[in-house]
């Protein structure tokens, strides 16, 4: 890599400024900030394959591409794909978020052909950040929404956009994109040319009514055509995979992952209600993880025959998620990922224990509450669960409950052995208070709604975030429908809920940046759970209960509220980004080595300037949600 001289032999500073003005986001900078930037840039020329930047560079410098292309590849213990993540072209810069945060870059960047880039040294970047308010504002505006460079890389890889992020629980309808179809008599050569032109890894062979007959992938082309030298003018139906595995648009990404692992395939056809082709989802679309991969972990979970084996799988889950965190996977995806795998562990613990208990023929469901009920689990999470069951007319209710309690006790102990601590508040299915019939659950909710005592409601908030994990899901759906019918007009109840919610004030001061609580064990720290994430969770819950929103997750509730125009002019994407930024800090803080009790606490003075600024903005969004509750319920 050859570095040019500061006199820029081939370009004047004026020409460099003119170049920068042609490209976003530099064209949005003012003249002063742009001139200051140009004066600090150093030209660097590279040849094909030259290494520019790697995770070992700390602190990293910023690079702006003048000509040529730069390729980014991911490295680490867990790789999401063996292909390049993307290529950067003239006018683009990298890695802005890493430089601003003073963190090592996540990817390896190398030149594709001859490349000219401009380098801004990390020290010059920091000086500009302090000396130029305009440059500082430019960096915050363009980086705050990204939070982490890898977030953008994953969104690009999976064809996602900032406002349309997908999760493991997303329906496959969100993955649909134009699908290449060919007729069964199409010559192989023509089908392969179509794949190349469309830049896709597979084509669907469909009949005249658009129903799938087969699928032909790049792997098929190599194994069935190229290597055996199969005639290229033969019809595609002779080399396609006939009767391919399919899945409906209403299935989730998680269902697709399981189907791929079960059938040992890399592509899955998505069909609509009429069994017509709707799309194709690939393993790469759905976290094609290597080494401690999702497929391997899921196989271990499904194959486990005892709790000891499941306990080992639980350790793999944690290691996998920690690797994903280190590679910059967003908090939204990661919490969904943790919850999805924890769901699988829980279901398998239930299945193993069912073999020891006679519950055959009984109608019941295992319910998840709290963060698990919201699909928002972090690394540090205990158990919050219960059981809803149907008591037939001929059965003895007390005897039936004892059978469920005995079963639940074994499940709770099994989960504890898998790393999910027993709930200190005893909100578990083995507690008779939370192992109830349909009518009893309705009575319990009715009592909270009609007699909204603050202390009881504080605990009851956990139960309003429920979802079924095992058994008859219809029982939970019916309970949710009944509950929303009760809460919609329960003004006094909602007011008490709002009154409790606004007491968890985000720690922002009128003069100082942050206000610290009086925790003697962890002074000068902020509680990101109680005063950061909770205001978003509480506000979303109250809005959902007031307006008949059936979702249990915070983000789904907020998005539904925005669609109903319940959030005024608030930018819903900014609100959700703020919530997940706080979640990201919590996850980062829960890695090994964090003292017990400090898992959700952070010292803002130990954050870099970018994270401090974004955290302040996140708290402001939380306060605006609370202000909306205060206005609506006249608090």
């Amino acid at each position: 890599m050859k570095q040019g001289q500061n006199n820029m032999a081939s370009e004047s500073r004026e020409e460099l400024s003119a170049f920068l003005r042609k490209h976003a986001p530099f064209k949005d900078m003012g003249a002063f900030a742009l001139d200051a930037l140009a004066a600090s840039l150093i030209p660097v020329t590279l040849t094909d394959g030259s290494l520019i930047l790697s995770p070992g560079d700390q602190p990293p410098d910023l690079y702006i591409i003048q000509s040529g292309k730069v390729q980014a590849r991911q490295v680490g213990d867990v790789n999401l794909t063996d292909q390049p993540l993307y290529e950067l072209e003239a006018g683009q810069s990298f890695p802005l978020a890493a430089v601003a945060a003073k963190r090592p870059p996540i990817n390896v960047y190398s030149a594709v052909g001859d490349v000219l880039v401009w380098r801004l040294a990390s020290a010059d970047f920091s000086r500009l950040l302090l000396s130029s308010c305009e440059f500082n504002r430019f960096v915050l505006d363009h980086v705050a929404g990204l939070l982490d460079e890898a977030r953008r890389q994953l969104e690009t890889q999976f064809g996602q956009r900032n406002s349309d992020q997908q999760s493991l629980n997303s329906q496959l309808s969100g993955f649909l994109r134009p699908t290449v179809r060919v007729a069964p008599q199409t010559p192989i050569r023509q089908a392969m040319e179509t794949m190349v032109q469309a830049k896709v890894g597979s084509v669907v062979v469909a009949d005249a009514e658009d129903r799938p007959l087969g699928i032909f992938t790049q792997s098929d082309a190599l194994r069935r055509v190229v290597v055996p030298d199969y005639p290229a003018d033969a019809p595609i139906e002779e080399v396609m995979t006939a009767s391919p595995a399919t899945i409906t648009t209403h299935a989730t990404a998680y269902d697709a992952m399981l189907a791929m692992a079960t059938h040992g395939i890399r592509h899955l056809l998505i069909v609509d209600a009429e069994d017509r082709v709707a799309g194709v989802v690939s393993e790469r679309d759905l976290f094609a993880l290597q080494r401690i991969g999702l497929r391997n972990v899921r196989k271990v979970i499904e194959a486990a025959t005892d709790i000891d084996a499941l306990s080992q799988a639980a350790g793999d889950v944690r290691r996998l998620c920690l690797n994903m965190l280190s590679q910059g996977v967003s908090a939204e995806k990661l919490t969904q990922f943790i919850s999805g795998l924890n769901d699988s562990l829980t279901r398998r613990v239930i299945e193993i224990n069912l073999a020891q208990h006679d519950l055959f023929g009984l109608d019941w469901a295992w319910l998840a509450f709290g963060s698990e009920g919201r699909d928002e689990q972090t690394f540090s999470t205990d158990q919050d669960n219960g059981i809803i069951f149907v008591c037939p007319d001929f059965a003895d209710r007390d005897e039936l409950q004892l059978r469920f309690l005995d079963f639940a006790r074994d499940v709770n102990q099994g989960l504890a052995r898998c790393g999910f601590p027993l709930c200190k508040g005893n909100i578990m299915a083995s507690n008779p208070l939370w192992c109830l019939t349909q009518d009893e659950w309705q009575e319990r909710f009715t009592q909270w709604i009609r007699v909204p005592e603050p202390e009881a409601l504080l605990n009851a908030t956990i139960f309003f975030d429920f979802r079924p994990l095992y058994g008859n899901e219809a029982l939970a759906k019916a309970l949710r429908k009944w509950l929303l019918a009760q809460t919609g007009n329960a003004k006094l109840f909602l007011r008490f809920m709002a009154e409790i919610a606004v007491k968890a004030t985000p720690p922002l001061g009128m003069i100082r940046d942050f206000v610290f609580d009086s925790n003697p064990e962890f002074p000068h720290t902020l509680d990101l759970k109680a005063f950061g994430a909770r205001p978003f969770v509480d506000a979303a819950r109250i809005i959902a209960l007031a307006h008949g929103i059936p979702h249990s997750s915070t983000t789904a509730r907020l998005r539904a509220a925005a669609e109903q125009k319940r959030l005024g002019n608030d930018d819903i994407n900014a609100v959700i980004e703020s919530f997940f930024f706080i979640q990201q800090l919590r996850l980062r803080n829960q890695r090994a080595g964090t003292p017990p009790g400090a898992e959700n606490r952070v010292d803002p003075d130990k954050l870099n300037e970018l994270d401090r600024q974004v955290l302040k903005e996140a708290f402001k969004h939380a306060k605006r949600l609370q202000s909306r509750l205060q206005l609506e319920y006249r608090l």
Side-chain angles (χ1 to χ4, degrees):
M1 186 165 73
K2 299 178 181 178
Q3 183 169 301
Q5 300 300 316
N6 286 339
N7 61 9
M8 296 186 305
S10 60
E11 295 259 359
S12 67
R13 293 294 171 188
E14 291 76 14
E15 290 173 328
L16 174 56
S17 296
F19 164 75
L20 293 173
R21 289 191 188 97
K22 296 178 182 178
H23 299 281
F26 308 108
K27 64 181 181 181
D28 297 324
M29 294 175 64
F32 176 79
L34 192 65
D35 290 344
L37 172 63
S40 301
L41 292 175
I42 299 171
V44 180
T45 57
L46 306 114
T47 57
D48 186 43
S50 298
L51 177 66
I52 307 172
L53 196 62
S54 71
D57 296 321
Q58 171 66 13
D61 296 332
L62 182 72
Y63 293 87
I64 304 168
I65 304 172
Q66 167 96 31
S67 61
K69 295 182 178 181
V70 172
Q71 184 183 85
R73 283 183 174 273
Q74 202 163 26
V75 296
D77 291 335
V78 178
N79 293 318
L80 296 178
T81 173
D82 57 356
Q83 299 297 319
L85 288 175
Y86 54 80
E87 287 186 349
L88 298 168
E89 300 180 342
Q92 294 183 289
S93 59
F94 62 94
L96 183 57
V99 178
K102 296 182 180 179
R103 301 192 192 112
I106 294 172
N107 302 314
V108 171
Y109 296 88
S110 56
V112 178
D114 293 333
V115 175
L116 170 62
V117 297
W118 295 93
R119 181 173 67 86
L120 180 65
S122 175
D124 291 332
F125 183 95
S126 298
R127 277 193 289 271
L128 274 175
L129 209 59
L130 293 173
S131 64
S132 170
C133 293
E134 199 168 17
F135 185 75
N136 188 296
R137 188 165 57 250
F138 150 70
V139 172
L140 289 176
D141 287 346
H142 287 84
V143 178
L146 298 176
L147 307 182
D148 200 302
E149 185 189 57
R151 174 99 146 257
R152 178 179 58 193
Q153 297 165 0
L154 286 170
E155 289 168 358
T156 301
Q157 178 186 354
F158 298 133
Q160 297 169 350
R161 294 298 179 262
N162 291 340
S163 62
D164 188 28
Q165 292 188 9
Q166 295 162 330
S167 71
L168 293 174
N169 287 339
S170 298
Q171 289 189 342
L172 290 177
S173 55
F175 286 81
L176 299 182
R177 53 180 178 267
T179 304
V180 178
R181 301 164 174 80
V182 296
Q185 296 300 317
T186 303
I188 295 172
R189 178 183 289 107
Q190 182 180 334
M192 292 172 65
E193 289 174 349
T194 301
M195 289 170 62
V196 172
Q197 292 170 1
K199 296 181 180 179
V200 295
S202 65
V203 292
V204 178
V205 182
D207 62 17
E209 296 179 349
D210 206 24
R211 289 185 171 82
L213 300 174
I215 188 171
F216 182 76
T217 68
Q218 290 177 341
S219 178
D220 294 331
L222 181 64
R223 292 185 296 106
R224 300 176 184 175
V225 179
V226 177
V227 174
D229 196 22
Y230 202 89
D233 55 355
I236 193 70
E237 64 180 346
E238 294 184 9
V239 291
M240 70 181 185
T241 298
S243 302
T246 63
I247 197 166
T248 68
T249 54
H250 295 297
T252 66
Y254 202 73
D255 295 327
M257 289 177 176
L258 177 58
M260 288 182 186
T262 301
H263 296 289
I265 56 178
R266 297 178 180 275
H267 293 80
L268 194 61
L269 275 179
I270 307 173
V271 295
D272 61 19
E274 303 296 328
D275 287 329
R276 291 189 294 262
V277 177
V280 176
V281 61
S282 70
E283 188 180 44
R284 185 174 299 166
D285 293 329
L286 303 174
F287 291 92
L289 299 175
Q290 299 172 0
R291 298 187 188 178
I292 311 175
L294 174 66
R295 181 189 295 182
N296 294 334
V297 173
R298 187 64 186 267
K299 282 182 177 180
V300 171
I301 293 173
E302 298 295 334
T305 57
D306 55 41
I307 301 301
D308 288 337
L310 276 177
S311 179
Q312 293 180 0
D316 287 342
V317 169
R318 182 176 178 85
R319 284 189 292 275
L320 171 60
C321 294
L322 285 170
N323 277 325
M324 294 174 69
L325 176 64
S326 69
Q327 289 197 0
V329 174
S330 71
E332 181 170 14
K333 290 183 178 66
L334 191 50
T335 52
Q336 290 275 8
F337 195 88
I338 294 170
S339 295
L341 287 176
N342 286 349
D343 286 356
S344 294
L345 283 164
T346 302
R347 292 188 184 108
R348 191 61 189 139
V349 171
I350 291 172
E351 289 169 350
I352 289 173
N353 282 283
L354 275 175
Q356 311 300 322
H357 295 268
D358 182 17
L359 300 181
F360 180 77
L362 298 179
D363 198 7
W364 63 283
W366 185 277
L367 302 178
F369 301 120
S371 61
E372 187 175 13
R374 295 191 302 271
D375 273 332
E376 292 165 5
Q377 287 184 297
T378 59
F379 296 131
S380 299
T381 182
D382 59 5
Q383 296 184 50
D384 290 315
N385 46 58
I387 286 178
I388 181 172
F389 65 93
V390 176
C391 182
D393 294 337
F394 60 83
D396 182 287
R397 181 264 176 205
D398 292 340
E399 181 183 343
L400 194 57
Q401 186 193 45
L402 286 175
R403 290 168 61 185
F404 279 113
L405 290 173
D406 188 37
F407 160 72
R409 195 172 298 110
D410 287 345
V411 173
N412 289 146
Q413 291 296 333
L415 289 171
R417 288 172 59 188
C418 289
F420 303 99
L422 298 173
C423 177
K424 295 179 181 178
N426 204 17
I427 301 176
M428 294 183 292
S430 54
N431 185 339
L433 293 174
W434 317 125
C435 179
L436 306 171
T437 66
Q438 287 178 299
D439 291 341
E440 289 168 340
W441 273 113
Q442 290 181 6
E443 289 174 7
R444 190 60 52 87
F445 280 114
T446 298
Q447 182 181 5
W448 290 328
I449 294 169
R450 291 183 179 175
V451 189
E453 297 177 354
E455 201 59 38
L457 282 183
L458 195 60
N459 293 324
T461 53
I462 299 171
F463 297 95
F464 287 104
D465 303 337
F466 66 85
R467 66 185 176 93
L469 279 188
Y470 192 92
N472 186 359
E473 294 185 4
L475 296 177
K477 291 180 179 179
L479 182 61
R480 173 71 64 189
K481 184 177 180 180
W482 172 88
L483 178 61
L484 292 176
Q486 309 305 308
T487 57
N489 295 314
K491 302 300 182 184
L492 182 62
F493 159 74
L494 293 171
R495 189 178 189 279
F496 270 104
M497 290 278 287
E499 191 173 278
I500 292 172
V502 299
K503 289 180 180 178
T505 308
L508 283 174
M510 296 294 292
I511 300 175
R512 294 178 297 169
D513 285 350
F514 301 105
V515 176
F516 304 100
D517 58 37
S518 55
N519 187 300
E521 194 173 355
F522 304 104
H524 202 75
T525 61
L526 308 174
D527 191 330
L528 295 176
K529 180 180 180 181
F531 303 107
R534 180 183 163 188
F536 293 93
V537 172
D538 287 350
R541 180 189 301 113
I542 293 168
I543 294 169
L545 293 174
H547 302 291
I549 296 172
H551 307 294
S552 62
S553 81
T554 299
T555 53
R557 286 168 167 173
L558 290 173
R559 286 182 176 123
E563 291 175 2
Q564 293 184 14
K565 309 299 183 184
R566 303 293 180 184
L567 297 180
N569 296 322
D570 289 359
D571 182 349
I572 187 59
N573 292 323
V575 172
I576 290 173
E577 288 285 353
S578 296
F579 171 64
F580 278 117
F581 176 74
I582 292 172
Q583 294 288 73
Q584 190 91 16
L585 289 182
R586 291 179 63 198
L587 288 165
R588 224 190 281 168
N589 211 39
Q590 290 175 4
R591 287 177 285 195
T594 304
E599 296 90 349
N600 294 300
R601 288 189 166 272
V602 65
D603 182 349
D605 289 349
K606 294 182 179 179
L607 298 175
N608 60 63
E609 185 59 30
L610 175 63
D611 284 349
R612 283 177 60 90
Q613 293 287 344
V614 178
L615 183 58
K616 283 196 293 185
E617 290 302 314
F619 284 155
K620 289 177 183 178
H621 278 294
K623 292 195 74 169
R624 278 193 282 271
L625 281 177
Q626 291 185 330
S627 297
R628 189 166 295 281
L629 292 179
Q630 291 173 319
L631 181 64
E632 184 169 352
Y633 295 102
R634 300 180 181 179
L635 300 175

